[in-house]
Short mmCIF file of all heavy atoms in Angstrom, two decimals:
data_model
loop_
_atom_site.label_atom_id
_atom_site.label_comp_id
_atom_site.label_asym_id
_atom_site.label_seq_id
_atom_site.Cartn_x
_atom_site.Cartn_y
_atom_site.Cartn_z
N GLU E 263 -216.64 127.44 -169.99
CA GLU E 263 -215.77 128.56 -170.42
C GLU E 263 -215.80 128.63 -171.94
O GLU E 263 -215.22 127.75 -172.63
CB GLU E 263 -214.35 128.34 -169.90
CG GLU E 263 -213.45 129.55 -170.19
CD GLU E 263 -212.03 129.35 -169.72
OE1 GLU E 263 -211.82 128.51 -168.79
OE2 GLU E 263 -211.12 129.97 -170.28
N ILE E 264 -216.49 129.61 -172.49
CA ILE E 264 -216.62 129.73 -173.94
C ILE E 264 -215.33 130.30 -174.52
O ILE E 264 -214.85 131.35 -174.08
CB ILE E 264 -217.84 130.64 -174.28
CG1 ILE E 264 -219.14 129.96 -173.80
CG2 ILE E 264 -217.90 130.88 -175.78
CD1 ILE E 264 -220.38 130.83 -173.92
N LEU E 265 -214.78 129.60 -175.52
CA LEU E 265 -213.49 130.00 -176.11
C LEU E 265 -213.66 130.74 -177.43
O LEU E 265 -212.79 131.49 -177.83
CB LEU E 265 -212.64 128.75 -176.34
CG LEU E 265 -212.33 127.90 -175.09
CD1 LEU E 265 -211.61 126.63 -175.48
CD2 LEU E 265 -211.50 128.71 -174.10
N ALA E 266 -214.78 130.48 -178.12
CA ALA E 266 -215.01 131.11 -179.43
C ALA E 266 -216.49 131.22 -179.68
O ALA E 266 -217.27 130.42 -179.19
CB ALA E 266 -214.32 130.29 -180.54
N ASP E 267 -216.86 132.22 -180.46
CA ASP E 267 -218.28 132.39 -180.82
C ASP E 267 -218.79 131.15 -181.56
O ASP E 267 -218.06 130.54 -182.34
CB ASP E 267 -218.48 133.61 -181.73
CG ASP E 267 -218.31 134.92 -180.95
OD1 ASP E 267 -218.38 134.86 -179.70
OD2 ASP E 267 -218.12 135.97 -181.60
N ASP E 268 -220.04 130.81 -181.29
CA ASP E 268 -220.67 129.70 -182.00
C ASP E 268 -222.18 129.91 -181.95
O ASP E 268 -222.70 130.46 -180.96
CB ASP E 268 -220.31 128.37 -181.35
CG ASP E 268 -220.65 127.18 -182.24
OD1 ASP E 268 -221.82 126.77 -182.27
OD2 ASP E 268 -219.73 126.68 -182.93
N ILE E 269 -222.86 129.43 -182.98
CA ILE E 269 -224.32 129.58 -183.02
C ILE E 269 -224.95 128.93 -181.77
O ILE E 269 -225.93 129.44 -181.23
CB ILE E 269 -224.90 128.90 -184.30
CG1 ILE E 269 -224.34 129.57 -185.55
CG2 ILE E 269 -226.42 128.97 -184.30
CD1 ILE E 269 -224.70 128.85 -186.84
N LEU E 270 -224.36 127.85 -181.29
CA LEU E 270 -224.91 127.16 -180.11
C LEU E 270 -224.95 128.08 -178.89
O LEU E 270 -225.75 127.89 -177.99
CB LEU E 270 -224.06 125.92 -179.77
CG LEU E 270 -224.20 124.66 -180.62
CD1 LEU E 270 -223.28 123.59 -180.10
CD2 LEU E 270 -225.64 124.18 -180.70
N PHE E 271 -224.05 129.08 -178.85
CA PHE E 271 -223.90 129.91 -177.66
C PHE E 271 -224.67 131.23 -177.71
O PHE E 271 -224.54 132.05 -176.80
CB PHE E 271 -222.42 130.21 -177.40
CG PHE E 271 -221.55 129.01 -177.19
CD1 PHE E 271 -220.25 128.99 -177.65
CD2 PHE E 271 -222.06 127.89 -176.55
CE1 PHE E 271 -219.44 127.89 -177.44
CE2 PHE E 271 -221.26 126.77 -176.34
CZ PHE E 271 -219.95 126.74 -176.79
N ASN E 276 -221.22 133.26 -170.59
CA ASN E 276 -219.92 132.63 -170.35
C ASN E 276 -219.81 132.32 -168.85
O ASN E 276 -220.19 133.15 -168.00
CB ASN E 276 -218.81 133.57 -170.78
CG ASN E 276 -217.51 132.82 -171.03
OD1 ASN E 276 -217.38 131.65 -170.70
ND2 ASN E 276 -216.54 133.50 -171.61
N THR E 296 -213.42 122.25 -184.56
CA THR E 296 -212.74 123.23 -183.71
C THR E 296 -213.32 123.16 -182.29
O THR E 296 -214.48 122.78 -182.10
CB THR E 296 -212.90 124.66 -184.24
OG1 THR E 296 -214.30 124.94 -184.44
CG2 THR E 296 -212.17 124.86 -185.54
N ILE E 297 -212.49 123.53 -181.32
CA ILE E 297 -212.94 123.55 -179.91
C ILE E 297 -213.63 124.89 -179.66
O ILE E 297 -213.07 125.95 -179.94
CB ILE E 297 -211.75 123.41 -178.94
CG1 ILE E 297 -210.97 122.12 -179.23
CG2 ILE E 297 -212.23 123.40 -177.48
CD1 ILE E 297 -209.62 122.07 -178.50
N LYS E 298 -214.85 124.84 -179.10
CA LYS E 298 -215.62 126.05 -178.87
C LYS E 298 -215.75 126.41 -177.38
O LYS E 298 -216.03 127.54 -177.03
CB LYS E 298 -217.02 125.89 -179.46
CG LYS E 298 -217.02 125.74 -180.98
CD LYS E 298 -216.52 126.97 -181.68
CE LYS E 298 -216.62 126.86 -183.18
NZ LYS E 298 -216.19 128.12 -183.85
N ALA E 299 -215.57 125.40 -176.50
CA ALA E 299 -215.67 125.66 -175.06
C ALA E 299 -214.96 124.57 -174.29
O ALA E 299 -214.73 123.45 -174.79
CB ALA E 299 -217.13 125.76 -174.64
N LYS E 300 -214.59 124.90 -173.04
CA LYS E 300 -213.95 123.91 -172.19
C LYS E 300 -214.45 124.08 -170.76
O LYS E 300 -215.16 125.06 -170.44
CB LYS E 300 -212.43 124.09 -172.23
CG LYS E 300 -211.93 125.39 -171.59
CD LYS E 300 -210.42 125.44 -171.57
CE LYS E 300 -209.93 126.67 -170.80
NZ LYS E 300 -208.46 126.72 -170.68
N VAL E 308 -217.00 121.47 -175.89
CA VAL E 308 -217.92 121.71 -177.01
C VAL E 308 -217.08 121.75 -178.27
O VAL E 308 -216.09 122.51 -178.34
CB VAL E 308 -218.71 123.03 -176.85
CG1 VAL E 308 -219.62 123.25 -178.06
CG2 VAL E 308 -219.55 123.02 -175.57
N SER E 310 -217.27 121.62 -182.82
CA SER E 310 -218.21 121.79 -183.92
C SER E 310 -217.48 121.73 -185.27
O SER E 310 -216.30 122.08 -185.39
CB SER E 310 -218.98 123.11 -183.82
OG SER E 310 -218.11 124.21 -184.00
N HIS E 312 -218.87 123.30 -188.62
CA HIS E 312 -220.01 124.03 -189.21
C HIS E 312 -220.31 123.59 -190.63
O HIS E 312 -221.47 123.52 -191.04
CB HIS E 312 -219.70 125.54 -189.21
CG HIS E 312 -219.83 126.16 -187.86
ND1 HIS E 312 -220.98 126.10 -187.11
CD2 HIS E 312 -218.93 126.83 -187.10
CE1 HIS E 312 -220.80 126.70 -185.95
NE2 HIS E 312 -219.56 127.16 -185.91
#
Side-chain angles (χ1 to χ4, degrees):
E263 186 182 336
I264 296 172
L265 302 174
D267 287 343
D268 194 279
I269 300 172
L270 285 180
F271 301 145
N276 201 349
T296 53
I297 303 168
K298 296 295 184 177
K300 68 175 185 176
V308 178
S310 68
H312 286 303

